[in-house]
Amino acid sequence: MTVNYSLDAATASAWAVLVVIFLWRGSLWKLIWREMLGWTILMALLSCIYVYGLKGTESERYFQVLFNLTEGVPTDGTLMFLMSYMTHNSLTRWSETYKCLGWPENVALLYKQYFNKNAMSKHEGRLMNQTMARYLTVFYILLFRDVCSDVREMFPALDDMIHPGILTAEEVNILQSSRLDRGSPHYWVPIDWIVNLVKRKYRSPYIYDKNGRRRKNPKESIMSEVEYAKFICELNKLRGKLGDVLSYDWVPLPMALLQSLTIFVYSTLTVNCFQMQARIITSGKSGLWEMFVECLSTLPFSMLHLSFLRISQVIINPFGRDDDDFETQYLIDRHIKVLNEILVPEESRKQK
C-alpha cells in the first residue's frame, strides 16, 4: 500500500518534479478531490442563487447581510495553529510506530551464529530451526491481528493458522486455553515458547557433584552462558519494540482533537464561500469572470487546509487501507521468506 516515489524524485529536475506532482496514487489530488468538488459546487450554487434568483428583489438585502456577517470572521490564524499541531503529532506517531516495527532477522541471525550443532542431532537441529522460524512468524501475525484489519481478515480465528502450517493444533489449544480473555493480546506467547525451547537445550558450563565440587558439564549446550544472555536480551528487545506498536494502537490521539480540526476546516471552507460572494457583491460585478478570479485567489488556501486535514486523517492509523499505510501482508510474507532463508535454507531451496 505504501507509495514509493523515491526513484521518480531521485534527480531534482523540473521533469521529475512534474512527474511527482501529477502522480495519482497516494497524492494530494486523490485525497481532496471530493471535498474540492463539493466546495466548488457550493460556491457556484450560492452565486447562481444570488445572480439568478435574488438580485434585484426584496430578498437581496437579506442575502447581502448574511454575506457581510461572514466577511469579517477571523479563521486562518487559529486554523493554521490547529492544523500544524495535529499534523505534527500525527507524523510523529506515524514515524515512531514505524521505528517500532523490529526486524526478526536480527534474532534469527544471532541464533544462527550462537547455535552449537554438537548439542543435538542433525534432525533435531533442523527441527528446532524450523520451529524457531515458525514461532517468530507467529509472533508477528498475532501482533498484526490486533492492530490491522487486513491481517485479521486473513486469519479471523486462530484455527485458520493450522492449515497453512503456521500453528499446530496443540499450539492453538494452548493459546485458546490460556487464562487470558479471548480479546486479550497473545502476541508475546510465541516469545515465551522460544525462550523455553532454547532453555531446554541450554546447559550450564559447570555442574556440582554430590560433594559440592564443581566440574565441567559433559553435555554440550546449545550456546554459551554469555551467548544465551545476549540472545534473550535481543529477544526481549524485539518484544518490547513490537509491544510499543500495540501501545500506540491502544492509546490514539484524543478523538476530540481530530473532531475539532475536521469541523473547523469544513466550517472554514463554508465560510470562505460566503466571503467570496461578499467580495463579489461589494465589487459591484457578479459575472462569471469575477467568480472565476475569486476562486483562483481562494483555491490555494482551501487546498492547503484540506491537505493538512486529510494527511492527518490518513496517518493517524498506519495499519488501515489507505495508500500510505504500512503493508502488513507484505511484511508477513517477507518475514516468512527471510526467516526460512536464514534458519532453514535447505527447505527454502526446495520450495524454489
Side-chain angles (χ1 to χ4, degrees):
M1 295 180 188
T2 307
V3 180
N4 192 335
Y5 59 92
S6 301
L7 186 61
D8 295 323
T11 304
S13 62
W15 174 250
V17 172
L18 286 174
V19 169
V20 172
I21 286 177
F22 289 104
L23 290 175
W24 175 253
R25 185 169 174 264
S27 66
L28 169 68
W29 325 113
K30 186 177 180 180
L31 287 178
I32 69 171
W33 74 267
R34 295 178 183 86
E35 287 85 353
M36 292 307 301
L37 179 62
W39 176 78
T40 305
I41 292 174
L42 177 60
M43 186 201 61
L45 183 62
L46 289 174
S47 181
C48 290
I49 290 174
Y50 174 73
V51 174
Y52 300 107
L54 299 177
K55 190 174 182 180
T57 65
E58 295 181 357
S59 303
E60 180 183 4
R61 181 166 58 89
Y62 301 105
F63 212 54
Q64 289 180 353
V65 170
L66 178 62
F67 288 153
N68 292 334
L69 288 175
T70 61
E71 190 175 7
V73 176
T75 55
D76 290 342
T78 307
L79 184 59
M80 288 302 297
F81 170 76
L82 271 177
M83 289 191 303
S84 302
Y85 180 78
M86 181 67 183
T87 307
H88 170 73
N89 281 278
S90 299
L91 281 172
T92 301
R93 286 174 61 90
W94 185 86
S95 61
E96 291 298 324
T97 302
Y98 176 75
K99 292 177 184 178
C100 292
L101 294 176
W103 303 99
E105 57 263 34
N106 295 341
V107 174
L109 289 170
L110 200 64
Y111 171 80
K112 187 176 182 179
Q113 178 185 353
Y114 293 159
F115 181 73
N116 182 10
K117 296 180 181 179
N118 299 324
M120 62 192 76
S121 65
K122 187 176 181 180
H123 174 71
E124 287 180 327
R126 184 169 61 252
L127 184 61
M128 189 163 180
N129 289 346
Q130 291 174 348
T131 306
M132 182 73 64
R134 194 164 54 81
Y135 284 169
L136 285 171
T137 302
V138 173
F139 172 52
Y140 274 86
I141 292 176
L142 291 180
L143 174 74
F144 287 150
R145 281 181 77 247
D146 292 331
V147 299
C148 180
S149 57
D150 284 344
V151 180
R152 175 68 72 168
E153 289 181 1
M154 288 174 59
F155 306 104
L158 294 176
D159 294 330
D160 297 315
M161 298 189 205
I162 298 177
H163 179 69
I166 299 173
L167 283 173
T168 63
E170 182 182 358
E171 290 164 351
V172 170
N173 290 332
I174 293 175
L175 288 172
Q176 292 177 341
S177 62
S178 171
R179 288 179 293 178
L180 296 173
D181 296 334
R182 288 291 179 92
S184 299
H186 294 75
Y187 74 97
W188 54 269
V189 176
I191 296 295
D192 185 51
W193 291 346
I194 292 175
V195 172
N196 291 329
L197 188 67
V198 175
K199 190 176 181 180
R200 283 198 297 267
K201 297 296 181 181
Y202 172 74
R203 302 286 185 270
S204 177
Y206 296 99
I207 59 175
Y208 293 88
D209 58 17
K210 295 180 180 179
N211 299 323
R213 289 177 297 185
R214 192 178 74 165
R215 58 189 181 86
K216 191 174 181 180
N217 194 341
K219 295 182 179 180
E220 292 278 354
S221 176
I222 190 174
M223 54 185 70
S224 68
E225 187 175 1
V226 175
E227 292 169 346
Y228 178 74
K230 289 182 179 179
F231 176 75
I232 297 300
C233 182
E234 186 67 27
L235 205 59
N236 286 329
K237 190 186 300 183
L238 178 65
R239 190 221 61 82
K241 279 189 173 183
L242 291 177
D244 289 340
V245 173
L246 201 60
S247 300
Y248 278 115
D249 183 71
W250 279 345
V251 187
L253 289 174
M255 186 172 59
L257 182 61
L258 181 61
Q259 289 174 335
S260 301
L261 181 61
T262 303
I263 294 173
F264 207 166
V265 167
Y266 289 137
S267 301
T268 300
L269 292 178
T270 304
V271 169
N272 282 343
C273 289
F274 285 92
Q275 290 177 340
M276 281 194 301
Q277 297 300 323
R279 289 194 292 269
I280 293 174
I281 293 172
T282 304
S283 67
K285 299 178 182 180
S286 54
L288 184 62
W289 174 253
E290 285 74 19
M291 186 177 70
F292 178 73
V293 172
E294 284 295 334
C295 277
L296 288 181
S297 63
T298 313
L299 184 63
F301 296 99
S302 300
M303 290 179 61
L304 178 65
H305 297 159
L306 279 173
S307 62
F308 271 93
L309 172 65
R310 297 293 289 131
I311 289 170
S312 300
Q313 292 173 344
V314 166
I315 64 177
I316 198 169
N317 181 10
F319 295 103
R321 295 174 178 174
D322 296 309
D323 289 339
D324 282 307
D325 287 338
F326 300 153
E327 299 183 43
T328 51
Q329 295 184 18
Y330 164 78
L331 285 175
I332 291 174
D333 293 337
R334 181 252 178 208
H335 293 340
I336 291 175
K337 293 177 182 177
V338 171
L339 290 173
N340 286 334
E341 187 66 32
I342 294 174
L343 296 175
V344 280
E346 59 277 1
E347 296 293 332
S348 181
R349 294 190 190 100
K350 286 180 182 179
Q351 292 177 1
K352 292 180 181 179

